[in-house]
Amino acid sequence: MALPRRPRTAPPPGAVDAHAHLFGPETRFPYAEGRGYTPPDAPLEAYLALLDQLGLARGVLVQGNAHGFDNAVLLDALERAPGRLRAVAITDTRIAPATLRDWHRLGMRGLRFHEHMAPPGYVRGVGLEALPHFRAVMRDLGWVVQVFCDHRRLPAIAADLAAISAEMPVVVDHMLAVPAALGVADPGFQALLRLVGEGQAHVKLSGTYRLSTRFPDYPDARPFHDALLAANPERLLWGTDWPHTSIPAEIMPDDGALLDLFHAWTPRAEDRARILVETPTRLFW
């Protein structure tokens, strides 16, 4: 896989890419039946090269839906790059809670849940209804509850997330992926701002290109970034979302450019240090 350009501004020492995926190689880690997409292989070696190219010390891997509930690709990566990587799994209640303790020893640090406005038969992911099965062990281990959520769904579950946050960190993906045209007044985004402002949720400043259609600088997504930064910079993380699944080649983001965009939109050095180093270190290391 081609490497991105180097960022114009070097990240601070210890910086973390808090959201990326691994896929394959398919010959070793097959893709799941019923998956919503089939990505090109994006193996560990390519990801470690990406971190080096961007000047990032560490990364947090998130189970991709193309691998379903088989987290073998993450567990393998954690064994092969101990210390440099942490990971967040997707699994259903067929996994015994005690298994999470085995995964923790390797570097797994959370479970990802999906809350979408989807028709019956949606097969990619597990909703928060599965959390009670794992909640006690996750609380004991200090794991994060990571939520990939439809912005229309968040107002209905905001109180639940606030209650969960009293026991363990809650992390919301991709700035809630609100279509930029809806603006920051969107009710879901406003609910998110309240959670962040009150310290009841963390948010990943990732997937900017999933909010905006204005490649390559995504100016209409900046108000979402700015609003979250103003709400509570201590509850934010940044991630590449590499390898950018389901994005056409002609508008494929360059990760060096995404990191430069983060720097341009986050002018205070102390905020950059919090978002890139301090908060992900606290949550995952």
Side-chain angles (χ1 to χ4, degrees):
M1 303 179 72
L3 288 172
R5 66 168 174 80
R6 289 189 181 276
R8 288 188 292 269
T9 302
V16 176
D17 173 11
H19 194 104
H21 307 285
L22 296 184
F23 296 109
E26 188 176 8
T27 53
R28 186 177 177 197
F29 302 108
Y31 298 129
E33 295 295 327
R35 60 189 177 274
Y37 59 90
T38 301
D41 286 348
L44 174 62
E45 294 80 5
Y47 181 62
L48 294 178
L50 175 85
L51 291 180
D52 292 340
Q53 179 77 353
L54 297 179
L56 298 169
R58 296 171 291 176
V60 179
L61 301 172
V62 179
Q63 174 76 346
N65 291 323
H67 282 298
F69 304 146
D70 182 356
N71 293 274
V73 68
L74 297 188
L75 297 169
D76 172 76
L78 292 171
E79 286 190 298
R80 292 165 60 195
R84 193 171 193 189
L85 299 178
R86 292 290 187 260
V88 174
I90 299 175
T91 191
D92 64 7
T93 56
R94 288 173 291 183
I95 289 290
T99 300
L100 303 191
R101 297 187 185 277
D102 297 329
W103 291 358
H104 183 85
R105 284 189 283 272
L106 290 174
M108 202 75 79
R109 290 296 184 268
L111 293 180
R112 191 188 201 196
F113 300 90
H114 292 69
E115 288 290 328
H116 288 309
M117 307 287 282
Y122 178 79
V123 296
R124 297 186 301 149
V126 176
L128 284 167
E129 69 274 2
L131 177 59
H133 183 72
F134 300 108
R135 191 165 185 159
V137 172
M138 292 181 69
R139 181 180 62 243
D140 291 346
L141 294 173
W143 277 23
V144 305
V145 173
Q146 186 167 319
V147 185
F148 187 22
C149 186
D150 188 301
H151 67 103
R152 297 166 294 179
R153 175 81 175 123
L154 188 65
I157 64 170
D160 295 331
L161 296 182
I164 293 166
S165 75
E167 300 178 30
M168 64 197 96
V170 171
V171 180
V172 177
D173 285 346
H174 302 327
M175 296 187 282
L176 202 59
V178 183
L182 296 179
V184 297
D186 172 77
F189 190 73
Q190 286 296 310
L192 180 66
L193 285 179
R194 287 190 291 273
L195 290 171
V196 172
E198 294 170 9
Q200 296 171 327
H202 296 73
V203 177
K204 293 189 180 183
L205 302 173
S206 56
T208 305
Y209 58 92
R210 299 191 185 278
L211 283 70
S212 173
T213 58
R214 295 174 64 182
F215 173 86
D217 294 327
Y218 319 112
D220 51 342
R222 180 162 186 175
F224 297 88
H225 179 109
D226 290 349
L228 288 165
L229 191 62
N232 194 344
E234 295 184 358
R235 288 294 182 268
L236 306 179
L237 308 91
W238 177 86
T240 59
D241 195 28
W242 184 88
H244 316 295
T245 58
S246 306
I247 300 298
E250 61 271 19
I251 56 170
M252 182 62 67
D254 180 286
D255 295 287
L258 291 177
L259 188 50
D260 280 334
L261 204 64
F262 166 79
H263 281 106
W265 292 1
T266 314
R268 288 161 39 102
E270 54 267 45
D271 289 337
R272 297 178 187 177
R274 287 191 189 99
I275 294 165
L276 291 176
V277 183
E278 296 165 17
T279 298
T281 299
R282 172 170 49 81
L283 290 178
F284 296 104
W285 276 269

